Amino acid sequence: MVVLVLSVLVLSIALGYITKINIGFFSIIGAYFIGCFGLGMKPSEVTELWPVKIFFIIFAVTLFYNFALANGALERLAGHLLYRCRKYPYLLPLAIFGASTIIAALGAGFYTVLAFMAPITLLLCQKTKMNLVIGGMAVNYGALAGANFMTSQSGIIFRSLMESSGVESSTSFAYATSIFVVTIIIPIVVLGLYTFFNRKNSNIQIEDIQPEPFNSAQKKSLFLIVLMMAVVLVFPILHLILPEQETITFLNSKIDIAFIAVLFALISLLMKLADEKKVVALVPWGTLIMICGVGMLISLGVKVGIIEMLTNWLTQNVPVWLIPILLCLISAVMSIFSSTLGVVAPTLFPIVPAIAAASGLNPMILFICIVAGAQSSSISPFSSGGSLIMGSAPEGIDKNKLFNQLLFRAIPVGVFAAIIAIIALNITL
């Protein structure tokens, strides 16, 4: 069954690539036949494998930000960002990374930041002739690194998963801090090297023209974006400051970025900030079908015991020094087709204590390997990061070309950088 699931996954990708039909359709049918006829599951049980949470988050967040896209607010904002960087165009990738990191570290979360920054970044690539791969990596790296901050969305999830695996609270905070440090150093090195070696031959062109001011609808859209971020941030921050306050704890537990985004989308409709049909049409439906369809097949793989098989194999057949590198690669492969937060970390974090005990390795290194590996390939068009980037591509950008660049250029660079970082970490520690 393990071989069958992996074979169907590879076949789905190949058929989608050859026929130009959404890979999600092939994956859904593959999950249906394997689940119902191979594993004896009921059709309703296979249906429940559809990743509702990921679907709803991407749908809700992109729906709200589509108002700013439809009325031109994001394009105008991109123009202002361009103007600010006009004297140092070769630093634009680092500027995008820095802005994404700061917003995500403040607590906005990976999906929110990427949904906001990806359209701006791709517009900048289109306007300035900046490399699409570098632009995509800059915004994706920034959203990931910032979200990994100990008090931000991903950092909190990582800490919770560690503690549920038996790690003490104070130790989990230290491990989460290490994850944040490593995942912010890797992109700085990658983007910094690119900037350094391309500073004289950079093709980035920024016109020294003062952009037009925002109109009323654009100002209102940007105000709602800032207000939504404030709503999403205020209660988690207050909860950190006043953890014993029951009212704040209750409200913090009820705040959800997807529902808040739908609320603000409704407010935008009532304020008539953009045409409803245009906004709904801009939702990346094809991307949603692809990521959720593949997610169903991956969930079947988890059910048939791929993870248990890998754990036993790692601890019994692999040299100790090679385990961190292989764990990094396994995470990277999983993340190509699934979410780091939704699949990779919840699946692999629980096996870390057992592997550490059996091999004598530092658990911190293994946790870092999982996150660094997963996030090195999270720009995959089959995963949440790459799918949001694909869904944010404006008219004029060849999505088939972007798909290939993300899959065959961005992922290899990210995985190679992660492996180098893990090797350096092993040598250092």
Side-chain angles (χ1 to χ4, degrees):
M1 277 298 167
V2 170
V3 174
L4 180 61
V5 171
L6 292 176
S7 299
V8 170
L9 180 59
V10 172
L11 180 62
S12 297
I13 295 171
L15 288 174
Y17 190 80
I18 294 170
T19 64
K20 306 300 181 184
I21 296 174
N22 194 309
I23 294 169
F25 292 121
F26 294 106
S27 299
I28 292 170
I29 296 303
Y32 167 65
F33 279 109
I34 294 175
C36 290
F37 299 100
L39 298 176
M41 298 170 64
K42 298 177 180 178
S44 60
E45 293 175 326
V46 177
T47 303
E48 290 173 359
L49 297 176
W50 181 269
V52 175
K53 184 177 181 180
I54 293 176
F55 177 92
F56 187 55
I57 289 174
I58 296 176
F59 163 76
V61 174
T62 54
L63 179 71
F64 170 59
Y65 283 116
N66 282 346
F67 285 90
L69 189 62
N71 64 26
L74 291 181
E75 185 174 2
R76 192 66 52 84
L77 185 61
H80 283 271
L81 180 58
L82 273 175
Y83 188 71
R84 296 285 183 259
C85 298
R86 65 192 183 280
K87 294 183 180 180
Y88 309 98
Y90 58 89
L91 293 178
L92 190 55
L94 287 171
I96 292 170
F97 168 76
S100 302
T101 300
I102 292 171
I103 296 172
L106 290 174
F110 171 70
Y111 294 109
T112 303
V113 175
L114 199 61
F116 171 56
M117 289 296 296
I120 297 176
T121 300
L122 293 179
L123 283 171
L124 289 175
C125 290
Q126 193 176 42
K127 287 177 175 291
T128 66
K129 298 181 180 180
M130 182 171 67
N131 187 292
L132 282 173
V133 173
I134 293 299
M137 290 181 70
V139 66
N140 190 64
Y141 264 144
L144 288 168
N148 289 346
F149 190 65
M150 296 74 71
T151 58
S152 192
Q153 185 184 73
S154 300
I156 292 173
I157 292 173
F158 293 151
R159 289 167 57 192
S160 299
L161 290 171
M162 290 176 194
E163 290 168 15
S164 64
S165 301
V167 178
E168 294 183 0
S169 178
S170 58
T171 306
S172 71
F173 188 87
Y175 289 171
T177 303
S178 301
I179 290 173
F180 170 69
V181 171
V182 171
T183 55
I184 201 171
I185 289 176
I186 292 174
I188 289 175
V189 172
V190 173
L191 297 174
L193 288 173
Y194 173 84
T195 300
F196 177 77
F197 288 112
N198 289 273
R199 67 190 187 283
K200 294 182 179 179
N201 300 318
S202 175
N203 293 322
I204 299 177
Q205 302 173 3
I206 302 179
E207 297 180 356
D208 190 5
I209 300 176
Q210 177 75 38
E212 295 182 10
F214 296 100
N215 61 34
S216 177
Q218 292 168 346
K219 288 180 180 178
K220 290 175 182 177
S221 286
L222 293 176
F223 171 76
L224 287 178
I225 288 173
V226 174
L227 181 60
M228 188 189 78
M229 286 188 174
V231 171
V232 172
L233 287 174
V234 65
F235 291 106
I237 292 174
L238 287 175
H239 181 62
L240 288 172
I241 298 172
L242 303 169
E244 304 299 327
Q245 224 290 332
E246 293 184 2
T247 302
I248 293 176
T249 300
F250 173 77
L251 292 173
N252 181 55
S253 67
K254 302 301 180 183
I255 293 296
D256 181 88
I257 179 63
F259 286 107
I260 298 297
V262 173
L263 172 62
F264 274 80
L266 179 59
I267 294 172
S268 299
L269 285 171
L270 294 173
M271 296 176 68
K272 301 186 183 302
L273 299 184
D275 180 70
E276 179 182 352
K277 292 182 179 179
K278 185 175 181 180
V279 169
V280 174
L282 286 172
V283 173
W285 298 109
T287 301
L288 285 169
I289 292 170
M290 179 173 64
I291 186 174
C292 294
V294 173
M296 292 178 72
L297 203 51
I298 289 294
S299 296
L300 275 182
V302 174
K303 280 183 174 294
V304 298
I306 288 179
I307 303 306
E308 290 78 3
M309 181 187 70
L310 289 175
T311 303
N312 294 332
W313 183 75
L314 277 171
T315 55
Q316 296 176 13
N317 301 288
V318 178
V320 172
W321 64 270
L322 193 58
I323 289 178
I325 297 174
L326 281 180
L327 197 58
C328 177
L329 288 173
I330 290 169
S331 302
V333 172
M334 289 179 64
S335 185
I336 289 175
F337 308 105
S338 59
S339 165
T340 300
L341 297 178
V343 177
V344 182
T347 302
L348 296 183
F349 270 31
I351 70 174
V352 167
I355 293 178
S359 64
L361 290 168
N362 188 334
M364 180 184 72
I365 294 178
L366 299 180
F367 283 124
I368 292 173
C369 289
I370 292 171
V371 177
Q375 295 189 346
S376 71
S377 61
S378 67
I379 200 170
S380 162
F382 307 120
S383 191
S384 50
S387 65
L388 278 170
I389 292 174
M390 288 283 294
S392 302
E395 293 183 7
I397 288 182
D398 187 340
K399 290 194 175 184
N400 288 329
K401 182 179 179 180
L402 178 59
F403 178 95
N404 290 331
Q405 289 179 323
L406 293 179
L407 193 61
F408 299 116
R409 294 180 62 185
I411 291 177
V413 170
V415 173
F416 178 76
I419 291 175
I420 295 299
I422 295 304
I423 293 174
L425 188 65
N426 275 322
I427 294 173
T428 303
L429 300 179

